[in-house]
């Protein structure tokens, strides 16, 4: 059994996915996913062939914030593409942090009685749910402008600088870990890495608390190089580090403890290896801080390239365009590894707005569900938070519990033969909760008087790429429910269920799961 298998073996296995449905929905036909190849990081300039229109405005908004509400689309179209991208990044940088919750100071009782332990367990579980609600609230921009982009990036960093709640299981530690991701989501990548490594969640998850002088534990040192900052090899195929680098880095990271009754990690000098270490060819009595100095000085270009790939996969496509990644790495290097500079360049770019990038990314389950709720304009989306988390878990994305130390795999794995039908069931259940379908239609231009126009508007609202003619015709048939088109009336009570059925149909389409 390899080292990573041993690591994973110490944590509960993720819940298995439900068995595949006996037959996929007929709408789930094969579909090709575009591959973005054109353009670089030069700012997007609209042309007659590639206009700055509602379709591209929705594309920008969905890539940056998971959803494109009508108000956000209207605001974006009132600006140039560069201004719209700038506004998204500026709002994210200015967004206030959430207030510190009560569960941030919730710690396990010492020598508890049975009732005391039960009370703590209940409060801890409530704190975990509340932190999940906070993530969804910010993804839907329900608290303050700009939070959706910032939380989207925090979620992306969670999949890179990975922890798993199942191992540390403490709401207060979850809050502090996520606060580091939020606070640094668009800031310095170097600061993000330095801070996350001494969160109690990370120290427990990757066994930093077992790392001490005379008995180094290499788990965190290995992952911080292999997965968090460098990758095994660079663009030229050369190795980015050696086993000796891992061993000596682990020695430099010794000494940290996480008392269960204390908010922050504690450095214990007696557990620290004060001897000489050699890391990336540099020799000294390195500490946690000075070892990071060496890492970010000696491997800065490789770190920039690795981080650029993460950002590309977050905002563009699962398979990186290496030319654009290299450009993006250059932006990071020129801006002190400031994440917001690279995100701004990417969101403004010709590459992101090119035809090949439209519909080139597969939505993660949480993205698909959050986007659906936001774009359909629920009046009380907070009432759906627990359902969104549950449905997302049922299709393989459990918030705060990635499947392994490498996080979630982007792209095709989200649309395998078991998950795709299950995603349809999840969106069906969300739409079934909606009791305002006619109100949604009434907000559309023309108020849905034409069933054909209504299907087109709903498809434009939800789907990133144009529907085939046959699929559009099928949606119209579902909407009419057997009546002739001239009898369609969106105001009658019977229209409520027909509109909801069309929304469910559209959210089951393969096209809906592309963005």
């Amino acid at each position: 059994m390899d080292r990573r298998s041993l690591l994973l073996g110490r944590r509960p296995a993720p819940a298995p996915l439900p068995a595949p449905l006996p037959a996929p929905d007929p709408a789930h036909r094969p579909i090709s996913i575009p591959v973005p190849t054109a353009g670089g990081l030069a700012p997007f300039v609209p042309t007659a062939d590639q206009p700055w229109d509602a379709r591209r405005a929705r594309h920008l908004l969905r890539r940056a914030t998971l959803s494109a509400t009508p108000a956000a689309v209207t605001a974006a179209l009132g600006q140039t593409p560069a201004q719209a991208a700038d506004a998204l990044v500026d709002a994210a940088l200015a967004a206030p942090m959430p207030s510190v919750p009560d569960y941030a100071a919730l710690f396990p009782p010492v020598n508890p009685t049975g009732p005391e332990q039960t009370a703590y367990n209940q409060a801890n579980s409530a704190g975990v749910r509340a932190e999940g609600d906070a993530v969804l609230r910010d993804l839907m921009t329900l608290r303050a402008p700009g939070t959706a982009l910032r939380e989207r990036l925090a979620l992306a960093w969670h999949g890179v600088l990975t922890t798993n709640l199942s191992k540390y299981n403490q709401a207060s530690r979850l809050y502090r870990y996520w606060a580091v991701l939020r606070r640094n989501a668009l800031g310095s990548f170097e600061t993000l890495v330095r801070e996350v490594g001494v969160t109690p969640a990370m120290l427990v998850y990757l066994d930093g608390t077992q790392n001490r002088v005379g008995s180094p534990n290499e788990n965190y040192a290995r992952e911080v190089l292999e997965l968090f900052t460098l990758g095994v090899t660079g663009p030229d195929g050369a190795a980015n580090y050696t086993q000796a680098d891992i061993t000596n880095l682990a020695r430099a990271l010794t000494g940290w403890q996480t008392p269960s009754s204390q908010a922050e990690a504690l450095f214990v000098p007696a557990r620290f290896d004060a001897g000489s270490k050699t890391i990336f060819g540099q020799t000294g009595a390195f500490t946690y801080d000075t070892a990071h100095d060496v890492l970010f000085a000696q491997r800065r270009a490789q770190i920039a390239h690795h981080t650029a790939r993460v950002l590309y996969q977050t905002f563009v496509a699962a398979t990186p365009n290496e030319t654009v990644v290299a450009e993006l790495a250059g932006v990071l290097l020129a801006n002190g590894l400031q994440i917001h500079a690279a995100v701004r360049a990417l969101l403004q770019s010709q590459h992101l707005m090119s035809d090949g990038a439209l519909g080139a990314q597969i939505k993660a389950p949480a993205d698909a569900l959050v986007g659906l709720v936001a774009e359909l304009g629920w009046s009380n989306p907070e009432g759906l938070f627990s359902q969104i988390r549950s449905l997302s878990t049922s299709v393989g994305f459990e918030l705060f519990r990635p499947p392994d130390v490498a996080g979630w795999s982007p792209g095709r794995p989200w649309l395998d033969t078991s998950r795709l039908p299950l995603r349809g069931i999840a969106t069906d259940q969300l739409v079934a909760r909606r009791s305002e379908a006619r109100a949604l239609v009434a907000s559309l231009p023309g108020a849905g008087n034409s069933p054909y126009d209504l299907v087109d508007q709903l498809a434009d609202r939800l789907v990133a790429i144009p529907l085939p003619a046959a699929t559009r015709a099928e949606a119209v048939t579902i909407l009419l429910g057997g009546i002739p088109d001239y009898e369609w009336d969106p105001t009658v009570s019977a229209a409520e269920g027909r509109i909801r059925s069309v929304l469910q149909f559209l959210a089951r389409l393969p096209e809906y799961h592309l963005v």
Side-chain angles (χ1 to χ4, degrees):
M1 184 178 288
D2 62 18
R3 181 199 56 79
R4 179 163 287 125
S5 298
L6 286 169
L7 174 63
L8 298 180
R10 290 195 295 270
R11 298 182 285 115
L17 289 170
L21 298 181
D25 187 284
H28 292 159
R29 63 193 181 284
I31 185 171
S32 62
I33 300 174
V35 177
T37 57
L41 291 185
F44 169 64
V45 177
T47 65
D49 292 333
Q50 297 188 354
W52 177 235
D53 56 8
R55 183 185 177 203
R56 275 187 165 74
R58 290 189 188 99
H59 171 71
L60 171 64
L61 290 164
R62 286 174 179 144
R63 291 304 180 88
T65 67
L66 302 186
S67 64
T69 64
V73 173
T74 299
L77 290 176
Q79 303 168 302
T80 67
Q83 289 170 340
D86 276 341
L88 291 168
V89 176
D90 290 343
L93 289 169
M97 295 294 156
S99 57
V100 179
D102 292 342
Y103 54 85
L106 179 66
F107 306 112
V110 178
N111 299 320
T113 63
E116 287 174 336
Q117 186 64 51
T118 298
Y120 167 77
N121 291 343
Q122 292 173 342
N124 189 60
S125 296
V128 169
R129 290 193 299 272
E131 189 64 21
D133 288 352
V135 171
L136 292 174
R137 189 174 294 115
D138 278 358
L139 282 173
M140 294 181 191
T141 321
L142 298 178
R143 191 175 58 80
T147 57
L149 173 56
R150 188 184 68 200
E151 207 70 11
R152 174 155 167 64
L153 276 163
L155 196 55
W157 297 129
H158 175 40
V160 177
L161 311 172
T162 313
T163 66
N164 190 306
L165 178 64
S166 297
K167 187 165 183 179
Y168 61 86
N169 195 28
Q170 204 168 312
S172 59
R173 291 177 173 178
L174 171 63
Y175 165 74
R176 281 172 175 77
Y177 165 72
W178 208 268
V180 169
L181 301 184
R182 278 195 186 104
R183 186 170 59 247
N184 299 291
L186 287 106
S188 163
F189 183 71
E190 180 173 353
T191 301
L192 172 59
V193 173
R194 286 175 180 267
E195 290 190 5
V196 83
V198 287
T199 59
M202 183 66 77
L203 285 166
V204 172
Y205 177 61
L206 286 178
D207 303 316
T209 55
Q210 300 177 28
N211 189 21
R212 63 186 184 274
V213 60
S215 183
N217 185 294
E218 297 180 356
N219 284 345
Y220 182 77
R222 184 179 303 277
E223 305 306 357
V224 80
L225 300 183
E226 179 179 337
L227 296 176
F228 296 1
T229 64
L230 296 177
V232 177
T233 60
D236 59 358
N240 283 330
Y241 57 87
T242 66
Q243 176 57 42
D245 292 323
I246 293 172
T247 300
N248 284 281
L249 179 59
R251 292 175 56 215
L253 304 182
T254 51
W256 291 92
Q257 290 295 286
T258 57
S260 62
S261 59
Q262 184 171 310
E264 306 297 343
L266 176 68
F267 181 72
V268 181
R271 296 174 68 94
F272 173 65
D273 184 338
S276 180
K277 305 109 179 168
T278 299
I279 304 172
F280 301 132
Q282 309 298 303
T283 301
F286 297 123
T287 64
Y288 183 94
D289 287 331
T290 56
H292 281 80
D293 291 341
V294 171
L295 168 61
F296 279 89
Q298 298 300 314
R299 293 294 186 271
R300 200 168 189 81
Q302 294 91 331
I303 291 170
H305 187 270
H306 183 78
T307 308
R309 286 177 65 88
V310 171
L311 293 173
Y312 187 99
Q313 290 180 308
T314 299
F315 292 106
V316 186
T319 302
N321 179 303
E322 296 299 344
T323 300
V324 177
V325 167
E327 277 192 84
L328 200 59
V331 173
L332 285 166
L333 288 171
N335 289 276
L337 299 183
Q338 290 290 324
I339 298 162
H340 65 83
V343 172
R344 194 183 302 270
L346 200 52
L347 294 182
Q348 290 181 347
S349 70
Q350 181 71 40
H351 186 70
L352 181 69
M353 302 304 290
S354 66
D355 286 340
L358 302 180
Q361 192 175 58
I362 296 173
K363 298 175 185 176
D367 300 355
L369 298 174
V370 166
L372 182 65
V373 169
E375 293 183 356
L376 291 183
W378 263 268
S379 59
N380 180 28
E382 294 204 19
L384 297 171
F385 286 171
S386 62
Q387 187 179 18
I388 290 172
R389 290 198 303 274
S390 176
L391 291 173
S392 180
T393 298
S394 74
V395 290
F397 187 100
E398 186 173 7
L399 187 61
F400 308 139
R401 293 178 172 89
D404 57 45
V405 72
W408 293 277
S409 299
R412 285 285 185 181
W414 292 128
L415 295 186
D416 64 24
T417 54
S418 69
R419 284 186 174 94
L420 186 54
L422 291 168
R423 284 168 73 117
I425 292 172
T427 54
D428 276 359
Q429 291 186 26
L430 275 181
V431 173
R433 286 281 301 269
R434 176 159 191 107
S435 59
E436 305 159 347
R438 285 178 294 165
L440 168 67
V441 171
S443 71
L444 300 174
N449 290 327
S450 162
Y452 307 98
D453 180 61
L454 175 56
V455 164
D456 289 342
Q457 290 197 55
L458 292 176
D460 285 346
R461 175 77 73 93
L462 295 180
V463 182
I465 58 180
L467 296 184
T471 304
R472 177 181 181 268
E474 189 174 356
V476 172
T477 299
I478 292 170
L479 181 65
L480 292 174
I483 65 172
D485 55 8
Y486 56 80
E487 290 186 6
W488 167 250
D489 182 352
T491 65
V492 300
S493 59
E496 186 78 28
R498 308 314 308 168
I499 297 165
R500 192 178 298 120
S501 293
V502 169
L503 293 173
Q504 290 174 325
F505 172 78
L506 292 172
R508 274 183 169 266
L509 295 174
E511 288 89 349
Y512 174 72
H513 298 283
L514 302 181
V515 64

